[in-house]
Amino acid sequence: MCLTNKILTLPNASRQHNSAQPFLQMETTVQVKTEPLDIPEDRGQPCVDTEGEEGEIEETGVDDGLPHQEAMARVNSTIAELIESDPLLKDLPGEVTLEEVNSAIAVEYGQAMVVDVMRADGEVLKIVVVQDASVLDLKHAIRRHVTLRQSRRGGTTLISWRYIWRSYWLYFDGQKLSDDRRTLKSYGIRNRDEIMFIHKLRKT
């Protein structure tokens, strides 16, 4: 809709009383200029509310947030793709933990080593420990490894580690790792060496 220019004539509401002059009535001419109002066509776009040039407040009505579960699924999927494409981390499981990633990097840079621990049933556990780890550190690493693997498999069996260490020795090259405070290196254990679980003999 187009509006044209208009000229309005308004009466002056002021009155002056002067003994030497009669009452005067004046008219004031005001020119009002109007322009066409450009209203954009509604195309279903989100509403935008802007307040001034400073401190603008903008409301778009669009929610870019994702549900928590969907967002976490996308993050895990991206991490899995990155791990699979990385030659250093590709052997790690899909639901990898930060500790496992850090351990793999530490092994690559020589800050940690992998010890093959053979269980009594012949299964081999690949345990990562730092270079100056003690026997007690190795026991804790074995516990974390078994607990994490069990949770991934959906296992619910509770393991009594106190019973395990009362019933089994850790052996390397004919040596009993009987002192928890000694380092693995003091027993001559190096990267990729094999340690075995040996059942303790009952005292008679």
Side-chain angles (χ1 to χ4, degrees), residues 26-155:
M26 303 177 63
E27 292 185 348
T28 304
T29 301
V30 179
Q31 184 173 356
V32 180
K33 183 178 181 182
T34 59
E35 297 180 353
L37 182 61
D38 186 13
I39 301 177
E41 182 180 354
D42 185 6
R43 298 180 180 177
Q45 297 295 330
C47 176
V48 177
D49 183 13
T50 304
E51 181 181 343
E53 295 182 357
E54 296 182 359
E56 291 187 351
I57 301 175
E58 187 173 295
E59 297 180 1
T60 61
V62 178
D63 185 10
D64 294 332
L66 293 174
H68 177 72
Q69 292 182 349
E70 183 178 348
M72 290 304 299
R74 291 191 182 186
V75 171
N76 291 334
S77 176
T78 302
I79 293 175
E81 292 176 0
L82 292 174
I83 290 175
E84 290 177 1
S85 62
D86 191 288
L88 172 61
L89 306 177
K90 63 181 181 181
D91 293 331
L92 294 176
E95 297 180 358
V96 66
T97 64
L98 180 59
E99 181 181 0
E100 290 173 314
V101 173
N102 290 336
S103 295
I105 295 174
V107 170
E108 180 68 17
Y109 285 92
Q111 299 170 351
M113 60 181 176
V114 179
V115 178
D116 294 334
V117 179
M118 181 179 291
R119 301 193 339 171
D121 59 2
E123 182 182 2
V124 176
L125 309 176
K126 294 189 175 299
I127 308 300
V128 178
V129 291
V130 295
Q131 290 287 353
D132 59 349
S134 65
V135 174
L136 184 59
D137 293 332
L138 174 61
K139 290 180 177 180
H140 289 163
I142 293 172
R143 179 173 181 171
R144 288 195 302 270
H145 178 90
V146 173
T147 302
L148 180 58
R149 186 185 62 171
Q150 187 180 26
S151 66
R152 283 173 174 159
R153 295 178 178 180

Side-chain angles (χ1 to χ4, degrees), residues 7 19 32 93 105 126 148 169 172 183 185 189 196 199:
I7 297 178
S19 57
V32 180
I105 295 174
K126 294 189 175 299
L148 180 58
W169 290 110
F172 170 73
T183 64
K185 284 187 174 182
I189 299 172
M196 295 184 295
H199 205 287

Side-chain angles (χ1 to χ4, degrees), residues 171-175 187 194 196:
Y171 261 77
F172 170 73
D173 195 23
Q175 304 176 81
Y187 285 101
E194 185 176 275
M196 295 184 295

